[in-house]
Amino acid sequence: MKNKLELDLSYVSSFLGKDEMERMIPSLNAAQKTLNDGTGLGADFLGWLELPQNYDRVEYARVKKASEKIRNSCDVFIVVGIGGSYLGARAAIEMLSNNFRSLLDKEDRKGPVIFYAGNNMSAAYITELLEVVKDREICVNVISKSGTTTESAIAFRLIKDLMEKKYGKNGAAERIFATTDKARGALKQMAGAEGYECFTIPDDVGGRYSVLTSVGLLPIAVAGIDTDEIMKGALEACNDLKNEDLWENPALQYACVRNALYEKGKNVEILANFEPALCSFNEWWKQLFGESEGKDGKGIFPASTNFTTDLHSMGQYIQDGRRELFETIISIGSPSKDLTIEASEADLDGLNYLEGKSLDYVNQQAMKGTVLAHNEGGVPVIMINVPELTPYHFGYMAYFFELSCGLSAYYLGVNPFNQPGVEAYKRNMFALLGKPGYKLKDKK
Ligand code: PA5
């Protein structure tokens, strides 16, 4: 897996013996069997497991066709969704595009500017978005598996209203694409009534495991990213990571190490990177692990940092604060672009010692220095080495983390595919908003 994804455990070894990991093998293999046999908690939601092999080719072809239509008919594309209904697409688009994509010319950008809505209820955010897009050509992809999520429903109502005033009902319908359940939910009903083209989230794939379905693939394709390569990477991960041998399977190793560290009191995992393009990937990963494992009073708290930025904010805590942390760093072998530091005659900034060095070399040394420092400060560091950021590697990583998460949650003994805790805030919010059938709990 050298050219795909590799785990380097050198900076964990002083905290965790090989023998301690080997003692976990029977339980890890049992978790693997439970997942593969579909005999565990939440087994109705295992559709993502063989998805890179079994995905619906007809739906996939429609996604590609619709993405072309969208790319040719708008300047602004709005992705309306929350949680698993937008984080994967955003992670891929930001990982694989120019860091300043929205400021490039349309041709260089390879598609419309992409905005995200329905992932918050800020009045200022949606008002300003509507103001910014109103005079541009707009297309929308509204994504909700349940079809009833309040954040996305409110944002969509406001955007739909603007589009119907701008294009008329039929014109708006040509520009609105819905991704939802095949039969149930308010969004499905509305899409049928209004004549929107509809894409389906398979019944057996939950939101946070859905990036390789139309949920993620339509917005990613609109951004001009090669989705065939993403699916190819995911398929290779799906084949490579079936191995039962701990030392031959990085997904098993990752599930093993994080649980071993958790059992030693390391309650917080920080996913870190040294590339700003990975910032939204952190957010996708946090949802995947946080919602899948954080239940029944258990689970590692998933946090994230972007380095070197956060070395100047969170670095102090990581180095010297409570020793309940471990870090997982995604290290990228070759950057998509690089430049060389030239000498300056006066050397007023004292940087001439870097003459002739590439900026990526400097970034790599910052990473090595950070790993050594954090290790010395008592923080185990798991290194995940990925050769480069390409659509293929995005697909590989997405599948790797989904599988590791399923294995890790089964090892921990929780259902990786539900999120009962998310309902608590909704019940209170609905009661406070006067939605029929909801009441605040009496205070004792
Ligand atoms: O992983 C999940 O299932 C959730 O995070 C959902 O993706 C999120 O709550 C949005 O739900 P929906 O797609 O039903 O609007």
Side-chain angles (χ1 to χ4, degrees):
M1 269 147 271
K2 216 161 172 38
N3 299 321
K4 303 172 186 177
L5 178 152
E6 225 185 14
L7 239 66
D8 174 1
L9 300 179
S10 334
Y11 302 99
V12 177
S13 55
S14 57
F15 302 88
L16 189 64
K18 206 172 167 193
D19 54 321
E20 292 176 276
M21 287 177 69
E22 279 175 345
R23 275 203 292 278
M24 295 166 70
I25 292 175
S27 309
L28 283 161
N29 285 146
Q32 194 178 25
K33 187 166 166 31
T34 306
L35 198 64
N36 291 332
D37 292 352
T39 51
L41 296 165
D44 287 347
F45 290 94
L46 285 172
W48 56 273
L49 200 55
E50 295 298 324
L51 191 74
Q53 186 83 56
N54 297 341
Y55 67 90
D56 179 341
R57 266 59 181 181
V58 176
E59 168 103 355
Y60 182 74
R62 280 202 309 118
V63 162
K64 281 184 151 181
K65 198 162 166 226
S67 75
E68 277 311 309
K69 181 177 170 193
I70 295 168
R71 284 152 57 73
N72 291 328
S73 49
C74 67
D75 310 314
V76 167
F77 176 58
I78 307 174
V79 179
V80 180
I82 194 165
S85 284
Y86 91 108
L87 283 167
R90 189 170 189 164
I93 293 167
E94 294 184 4
M95 179 189 288
L96 302 170
S97 305
N98 186 297
N99 280 289
F100 305 97
R101 184 182 185 280
S102 59
L103 293 176
L104 297 177
D105 291 340
K106 196 171 178 184
E107 226 163 79
D108 295 331
R109 208 170 49 223
K110 300 195 207 121
V113 170
I114 300 178
F115 292 129
Y116 302 87
N119 57 64
N120 62 62
M121 289 205 269
S122 158
Y125 184 96
I126 190 79
T127 308
E128 289 167 9
L129 176 68
L130 296 173
E131 192 54 40
V132 160
V133 301
K134 72 177 188 319
D135 297 323
R136 300 171 196 234
E137 299 304 330
I138 312 166
C139 284
V140 175
N141 183 197
V142 52
I143 310 169
S144 176
K145 182 163 187 189
S146 61
T148 56
T149 302
T150 313
E151 287 88 340
S152 6
I154 292 178
F156 182 58
R157 181 184 279 211
L158 295 165
I159 294 167
K160 174 177 186 275
D161 192 45
L162 173 101
M163 291 181 72
E164 287 180 353
K165 285 192 182 113
K166 190 174 160 79
Y167 298 111
K169 235 176 158 28
N170 293 340
E174 283 289 307
R175 293 170 169 272
I176 295 174
F177 300 80
T179 308
T180 189
D181 186 86
K182 70 172 184 304
R184 281 167 301 157
L187 180 56
K188 180 67 194 173
Q189 309 316 318
M190 190 194 299
E194 304 282 20
Y196 305 151
E197 180 165 6
C198 252
F199 297 92
T200 299
I201 308 173
D203 280 345
D204 54 1
V205 180
R208 57 190 175 275
Y209 294 83
S210 68
V211 60
L212 301 171
T213 71
S214 307
V215 171
L217 296 175
L218 179 56
I220 293 171
V222 171
I225 293 166
D226 186 343
T227 52
D228 291 349
E229 278 294 301
I230 291 183
M231 296 313 283
K232 187 173 159 208
L235 178 62
E236 288 192 17
C238 177
N239 292 332
D240 291 348
L241 302 173
K242 289 192 194 305
N243 206 315
E244 287 172 25
D245 182 341
L246 177 65
W247 305 113
E248 295 294 327
N249 184 339
L252 265 185
Q253 279 171 43
Y254 182 47
C256 177
V257 179
R258 55 198 303 285
N259 277 291
L261 293 171
Y262 179 54
E263 285 165 15
K264 285 175 179 274
K266 303 290 183 192
N267 295 312
V268 178
E269 177 177 10
I270 303 173
L271 187 75
N273 63 67
F274 282 74
E275 279 297 337
L278 290 179
C279 183
S280 284
F281 192 80
N282 283 352
E283 300 307 311
W284 173 80
W285 173 90
K286 279 193 286 197
Q287 188 210 357
L288 179 64
F289 280 88
E291 270 191 355
S292 300
E293 292 193 317
K295 54 197 68 158
D296 308 337
K298 300 194 237 182
I300 296 168
F301 182 83
S304 67
T305 48
N306 301 295
F307 292 152
T308 60
T309 313
D310 293 332
L311 289 173
H312 296 259
S313 58
M314 296 302 289
Q316 172 60 38
Y317 192 107
I318 299 170
Q319 191 68 41
D320 270 346
R322 284 164 58 109
R323 302 297 72 193
E324 59 175 344
L325 314 170
F326 67 98
E327 260 176 330
T328 298
I329 298 184
I330 301 184
S331 161
I332 307 304
S334 320
S336 57
K337 299 184 181 79
D338 203 359
L339 39 81
T340 303
I341 298 169
E342 309 284 357
S344 128
E345 214 179 309
D347 194 23
L348 293 176
D349 50 16
L351 288 178
N352 272 2
Y353 75 100
L354 295 176
E355 184 192 343
K357 300 277 191 296
S358 81
L359 189 51
D360 187 60
Y361 171 81
V362 177
N363 199 25
Q364 295 288 343
Q365 305 324 301
M367 182 173 73
K368 284 183 192 153
T370 304
V371 172
L372 292 173
H374 289 179
N375 227 212
E376 226 165 85
V379 180
V381 183
I382 303 168
M383 299 295 296
I384 299 185
N385 297 325
V386 177
E388 52 185 329
L389 294 178
T390 65
Y392 171 90
H393 291 97
F394 176 85
Y396 203 96
M397 275 196 273
Y399 189 88
F400 164 81
F401 280 114
E402 288 177 1
L403 180 63
S404 307
C405 184
L407 292 168
S408 184
Y410 274 162
Y411 176 89
L412 187 66
V414 297
N415 180 348
F417 310 116
N418 66 0
Q419 54 284 327
V422 179
E423 296 310 307
Y425 98 90
K426 293 186 193 169
R427 281 193 297 271
N428 290 342
M429 175 180 75
F430 292 148
L432 291 164
L433 289 170
K435 186 170 178 176
Y438 290 87
K439 238 177 83 179
L440 282 179
K441 268 193 196 150
D442 290 334
K443 277 200 191 137
K444 297 254 158 68

